[in-house]
Amino acid sequence: MDRKQKGLIAGMFVLFLAGSSSAEILNQCKNITQAGTYVLESDLEIHPSSINEVCFRVKAADVWIDCQGHAIYYPPGIGKPAWKWKGIAVHVLNAKRVGVRNCRFGYLSQGIAAYESDYGVYVSNSYLTRLDFTSKNSDYITLASSLFKTIQFHHSHNARVSDMRGFGNSWFKSLDSSGHAANSYVKKVKIGNSSWTLENVFFEEYEEW
């Protein structure tokens, strides 16, 4: 990693600390089209009438979402098997340097989806039902200290996964990606045509695509 790349990642943390004092409160699902810090002060429901059942569409760079421990969930999924769950809590599309932390996601098909979002998607201290990164330009994705059920990487580079814990029938899947996973527990690891290093990663099943 060169000096420019290190500075980019460090800048993400500085941005969050600097922006937290003037955060915008989110009390309903919406499209996020401006840079800034956004915080939740209560749980949010995703209604079936929402377009494509997405709570937050992030379409701007330099955005941080802090749920402050609150949940984003899809009520119609309560009591149904996981394969019938729908909805996405945070959909990052063509945005750079996006952070999500202190969130809980429930009864959703995907907690966070990031497509064509290059440079710095950062997730920490969150409960992830499913996390998908599918992009030929997704670089420097960082996942830290979160609980997850499924994490999938496609065409993502220089991803870092640390101190993660899977729950239930959890998966860590990677295809055409590169990265480093450390100090994590996963029930199943499935690595495809990719370059990953696993350090202190505990798993019950390992499979190469």
Side-chain angles (χ1 to χ4, degrees):
M1 184 183 299
D2 60 29
R3 184 178 301 174
K4 180 180 179 181
Q5 293 164 342
K6 288 182 179 178
L8 175 64
I9 296 174
M12 294 168 58
F13 294 91
V14 173
L15 172 68
F16 180 81
L17 293 175
S20 58
S21 60
S22 57
E24 177 180 334
I25 297 173
L26 296 172
N27 52 25
Q28 62 182 357
C29 296
K30 62 176 289 184
N31 291 337
I32 296 177
T33 58
Q34 294 184 335
T37 300
Y38 299 81
V39 300
L40 272 65
E41 290 193 338
S42 62
D43 295 349
L44 287 182
E45 297 182 5
I46 300 178
H47 296 288
S49 59
S50 301
I51 299 176
N52 295 326
E53 297 166 332
V54 176
C55 189
F56 297 120
R57 286 185 179 82
V58 180
K59 300 180 178 181
D62 301 317
V63 167
W64 289 89
I65 297 174
D66 188 344
C67 298
Q68 301 189 113
H70 295 295
I72 302 173
Y73 65 102
Y74 185 72
I78 297 175
K80 294 183 180 179
W83 61 272
K84 288 189 175 182
W85 294 351
K86 298 180 180 180
I88 301 173
V90 180
H91 185 184
V92 184
L93 182 63
N94 278 327
K96 302 178 181 181
R97 299 178 302 277
V98 175
V100 179
R101 71 182 219 168
N102 303 322
C103 292
R104 294 182 296 119
F105 305 129
Y107 311 104
L108 297 166
S109 63
Q110 297 180 58
I112 302 173
Y115 304 119
E116 303 298 333
S117 302
D118 51 346
Y119 292 110
V121 175
Y122 172 79
V123 181
S124 71
N125 193 28
S126 294
Y127 179 100
L128 312 171
T129 51
R130 174 170 169 169
L131 184 59
D132 284 352
F133 292 105
T134 303
S135 173
K136 293 184 178 180
N137 301 306
S138 288
D139 288 347
Y140 301 103
I141 295 165
T142 301
L143 310 178
S145 303
S146 296
L147 186 68
F148 70 93
K149 186 170 184 179
T150 302
I151 298 176
Q152 296 190 103
F153 293 91
H154 296 265
H155 316 298
S156 302
H157 305 290
N158 302 304
R160 299 192 66 84
V161 177
S162 65
D163 301 306
M164 302 287 286
R165 292 294 179 270
F167 68 93
N169 190 23
S170 58
W171 286 84
F172 172 82
K173 301 180 181 181
S174 181
L175 176 66
D176 295 328
S177 303
S178 60
H180 178 80
N183 305 321
S184 300
Y185 174 79
V186 187
K187 187 175 180 65
K188 297 180 181 181
V189 173
K190 197 168 185 178
I191 302 294
N193 181 22
S194 56
S195 176
W196 276 80
T197 58
L198 304 179
E199 178 184 355
N200 294 327
V201 176
F202 300 93
F203 50 86
E204 297 178 16
E205 298 179 35
Y206 179 86
E207 180 181 352
E208 292 186 1
W209 285 359

